[in-house]
Each structure stands twice: as C-alpha cells, then as structure tokens.
Amino acid sequence: MELGQLFLEIGGVILLLALVGRAAGRLGITPIPLYLLAGIGLGAVMSLGNAPEEFIHTGAEIGAVLLLFTLGLEYTSEELSSNLKANRQIGIIDLALNFTPGLVAGFLLGFTPLAAVLLGGVTYLTSSGIASKILRDFGRLGNRETPLILAVCVIEDVVMAAYLPVVAALLIGGTLFAVGINLLVALAAFGLAFFLALRYGHVLSRVMNVPSDEALLLGVLGLVLVVAGAADQLNVSAAIGAFLVGIALSGEVADRARQQIEPLRDLFAAVFFVFFGLQLNLAEVPSVLLPAILLTIVTGATKFAVGWMGAARAGVQLRGRFRAGTTLIPRGEFSILIAGLGLGLAPSLGPLAAVYVLLTAILGPVLSRFDAQLAPLLQRRPRGEAGKEVSAPGQG
C-alpha cells in the first residue's frame, strides 16, 4: 500500500474517533459504546487495507496495555496485596457464577466439551481495559468500590494463568506432563512479577526517575511493553503485566509517568475499542444474536451480583454497590482471544463471542453512567420510608 493511502485511511479513522468522542462528551457518557459502534460502521461501509488494519490491531493491543498500566499507577503494592487477600472469597463466587453459564450454554448449543469450556472462559472474564476506562471517564478511581473491582480483575487473570496453558495444551493434544509444565511456568511467571513489584518497586521507581521528561517517557513506555510482551509469551495477560509495572512505580515518578503516558493512552485506548467493532462481521450476527442476548442477560446479572456482594462486604453503600456491579459487566479483548482458540472446534464460537462482547461492552458503561437514577430502584425500603434515600448523591 502507498504511504499516502495508508495515512488517508488511518487519519480518517482517527478523525471519526474525534467526532465520536465529542458526541459522547455532549451526551455526558463514556465514549466506549460509541467507539464500538463506530468500529461496526467502519467495517460495514469500507474495507481497510492490510497495513491500516494491522496498525489498528497493534494499536488496540497497546491501548489495553496502557489502560492497565495507568490504572496500576493509582495504587500501591501494599493496597493491591491487602485487597486481593480480602476478596479471595468473592473471586471464587465470581468463577462459579460466571464460568458456569458459558459452559452450560456451550453444551446446549451442541458444542464439544472443550469448546464449551472455552465459552465458559468467554463469559467469565471482565474486560479490565473497559473497566479501567469506565473508572477513569467517570472520575471513580478514588471511590470505595474501586479496589474491589481491581481485585476481581486481577484474580480473574490469576485464574487465566492456569486456564490458558491447560486449554492450549488440550487443543494441541499435549500430554499431561506438558500441561503441567505450561501451568507451572505461567503461575511462576505471575508470582515472580507480583513479588518483584511488591518487594523492589521502590528500587525501580528510583531508577526510572530521571530529570528529562523525554527520557522518562521512553524508559517507562519501553519497560511497560517489554514486561507486557514477556508476560504474554509466558501465557500471563500482557495487560496484567503492565498493571504490575504501574503498581511497582510510586511517588514522584508515578505522577510524572502518568502525565507523560496519558495522551498516548487516550489515543490507543480509542483504537482498542474501535478494533472490537471492526472484528464483527454483520452477516454472521443473525444466527448468533439470540444466544448472545440470553448470555448477556444471564451473565450480566451474575457479574452484577459479584460486584454488588463484594462491595456490600466492604461496607460500600447503595450507589457504590451498583457501580461495582455494572463496571464488571463488560467482557472484552481476552474473551475474543479465548473464542479464537476454538474456531476449529465450533465455527460459531467466534461470532457468538463477538456479539456477546459487544452487547456487554455497551450495557455495562451505559448502566454505570446512570447509577444515580437506577441504583435507588434496587433499594429495599421499609414501609413508611418509601421516600427515604439510603445515601446522599455522591456517597457510596
């Protein structure tokens, strides 16, 4: 492809994103649903060349990584460790409530047992990229329910560190020994990264804190991508690898890194959501629409229940519980990846996962935006106190 054509197509996509972002600002909502719909529209009316599509795909992966890195900058390693310990029980409930519907649906749809297990993985995982975007767009990083949301996302990725090597080995017909080795490598890699972030994060912060903003930007971005790439090679989520780098950095260097990275994060995060929409082939939608809608309803409710129960245990009030539940509803990039592993087993798994991810990625942010209006509908009101609010606006 000629350079001019490449620039025209990529520039056109970015200009469209700018218009979509402005529209979302006027409506007072997160731009995530509009970015997704813009991707669907682009895929329906035009065919990008191989080079622009490859750029958008790579940009989408970088966007997910930078979203989680900047989210990690908001928290210390001590906060993360204590939150994970406090929410282990919620993690078990999350696995039971959200893996099971996909597994059962797979059998009902006539999938093979392994394909059904893959669909269980699709419905289990919250999109940490979309969740972090919701928290940032709505200014909720400091809310009481946010540590619970982060803990659930990290616990899910720990489960994935065990799940993916096992599934990958089964797909290629690996022996029990090979499965065990893959599993040990993935868990050891995650454990080592987590230990280093907890124990030596202050050393890393001193090393990275150079006077030059340019050198800081290049050093931090390079480190994040290297760690994310290494994590992915070891079957650990690349985004969670980047999250742990953010956790490790603290103090002045974390503040400076945030300022330097945020513009890049915003650009690539927008590309990340558009790429989801571009992946959806509209011709395949009708055959999978009904099961996708049913799965969205069931697993939207189960994921909401996880967030609600977890926030309630932490003493969060009504609106905070509602925000926790709705922020956990979206599924995303990892669900698409898991579905892609099983296309040879069940060709409809890919389109089903794409429509399902799109529906949850729209539902979660929209419900979360209107927490003030919707949360009171779930309030238990004693007789004679129908008009009494549990919490004042802004609390929870």
Side-chain angles (χ1 to χ4, degrees), residues 12-148:
V13 170
I14 293 174
L15 282 175
L16 175 63
L17 295 180
L19 294 175
V20 167
R22 293 179 66 176
R26 288 178 178 270
L27 294 172
I29 63 173
T30 177
I32 294 171
L34 300 186
Y35 285 154
L36 291 165
L37 294 174
I40 293 174
L42 280 173
V45 302
M46 65 181 290
S47 177
L48 295 174
N50 289 334
E53 188 169 333
E54 185 64 27
F55 172 84
I56 291 174
H57 173 70
T58 303
E61 298 297 332
I62 295 174
V65 164
L66 293 183
L67 277 169
L68 267 291
F69 168 67
T70 53
L71 188 61
L73 289 174
E74 303 292 334
Y75 298 91
T76 66
S77 55
E78 291 79 10
E79 289 172 337
L80 177 62
S81 179
S82 62
N83 287 331
L84 287 176
K85 291 177 182 177
N87 290 290
R88 284 177 298 183
Q89 192 172 23
I90 290 297
I92 295 172
I93 295 172
D94 179 31
L95 177 62
L97 289 182
N98 291 288
F99 186 89
T100 305
L103 180 67
V104 172
F107 285 119
L108 292 177
L109 291 170
F111 289 177
T112 64
L114 186 52
V117 169
L118 288 171
L119 185 56
V122 169
T123 60
Y124 168 58
L125 276 174
T126 289
S127 171
S128 50
I130 296 179
S132 66
K133 180 70 171 170
I134 292 172
L135 295 174
R136 186 169 296 279
D137 283 352
F138 294 145
R140 296 173 181 171
L141 291 173
N143 283 22
R144 290 187 61 196
E145 72 273 8
T146 298
L148 175 276

Side-chain angles (χ1 to χ4, degrees), residues 93-106 108 119-120 122-124 289-307 309 325 328-331 352 356 359-360 363 367:
I93 295 172
D94 179 31
L95 177 62
L97 289 182
N98 291 288
F99 186 89
T100 305
L103 180 67
V104 172
L108 292 177
L119 185 56
V122 169
T123 60
Y124 168 58
L289 185 58
L290 180 58
I293 290 174
L294 293 175
L295 270 178
T296 299
I297 294 171
V298 172
T299 61
T302 54
K303 191 66 82 168
F304 179 87
V306 169
M309 287 187 291
L328 290 171
I329 287 174
R331 275 64 162 188
L352 172 60
Y356 169 73
L359 292 174
T360 60
L363 179 64
L367 290 178

Side-chain angles (χ1 to χ4, degrees), residues 381-388:
R381 303 185 181 188
R383 292 182 181 179
E385 297 186 16
K388 185 178 179 180

Side-chain angles (χ1 to χ4, degrees), residues 73-370:
L73 289 174
E74 303 292 334
Y75 298 91
T76 66
S77 55
E78 291 79 10
E79 289 172 337
L80 177 62
S81 179
S82 62
N83 287 331
L84 287 176
K85 291 177 182 177
N87 290 290
R88 284 177 298 183
Q89 192 172 23
I90 290 297
I92 295 172
I93 295 172
D94 179 31
L95 177 62
L97 289 182
N98 291 288
F99 186 89
T100 305
L103 180 67
V104 172
F107 285 119
L108 292 177
L109 291 170
F111 289 177
T112 64
L114 186 52
V117 169
L118 288 171
L119 185 56
V122 169
T123 60
Y124 168 58
L125 276 174
T126 289
S127 171
S128 50
I130 296 179
S132 66
K133 180 70 171 170
I134 292 172
L135 295 174
R136 186 169 296 279
D137 283 352
F138 294 145
R140 296 173 181 171
L141 291 173
N143 283 22
R144 290 187 61 196
E145 72 273 8
T146 298
L148 175 276
I149 295 169
L150 291 178
V152 169
C153 290
V154 174
I155 290 171
E156 287 179 352
D157 276 287
V158 173
V159 173
M160 282 298 104
Y163 171 90
L164 283 178
V166 172
V167 168
L170 292 174
L171 284 169
I172 62 176
T175 64
L176 183 62
F177 177 76
V179 172
I181 292 297
N182 287 339
L183 178 58
L184 285 175
V185 169
L187 291 176
F190 180 87
L192 177 62
F194 189 63
F195 170 78
L196 292 176
L198 289 176
R199 182 62 63 89
Y200 298 107
H202 63 285
V203 177
L204 179 63
S205 298
R206 286 201 303 269
V207 171
M208 300 301 296
N209 195 15
V210 294
S212 169
D213 287 342
E214 179 181 355
L216 175 66
L217 171 62
L218 294 173
V220 169
L221 181 60
L223 177 64
V224 168
L225 294 179
V226 165
V227 172
D232 185 71
Q233 291 292 314
L234 295 170
N235 293 317
V236 180
S237 166
I240 291 300
F243 177 76
L244 291 176
V245 175
I247 289 290
L249 296 178
S250 60
E252 179 187 359
V253 69
D255 295 333
R256 292 178 59 210
R258 187 183 302 108
Q259 294 174 3
Q260 297 293 320
I261 291 290
E262 280 182 349
L264 288 174
R265 179 207 65 206
D266 292 341
L267 168 63
F268 287 112
V271 173
F272 166 73
F273 296 114
V274 166
F275 182 70
F276 271 142
L278 282 171
Q279 286 183 302
L280 184 59
N281 184 350
L282 292 179
E284 299 173 327
V285 171
S287 62
V288 298
L289 185 58
L290 180 58
I293 290 174
L294 293 175
L295 270 178
T296 299
I297 294 171
V298 172
T299 61
T302 54
K303 191 66 82 168
F304 179 87
V306 169
W308 180 280
M309 287 187 291
R313 287 185 54 188
V316 178
Q317 296 186 31
L318 182 72
R319 283 179 58 186
R321 299 177 197 177
F322 185 88
R323 291 192 294 262
T326 53
T327 301
L328 290 171
I329 287 174
R331 275 64 162 188
E333 67 286 357
F334 232 128
S335 295
I336 297 293
L337 182 151
I338 291 170
L341 296 175
L343 293 182
L345 301 173
S348 63
L349 180 59
L352 172 60
V355 175
Y356 169 73
V357 164
L358 178 65
L359 292 174
T360 60
I362 292 174
L363 179 64
V366 170
L367 290 178
S368 190
R369 164 64 178 83
F370 296 104

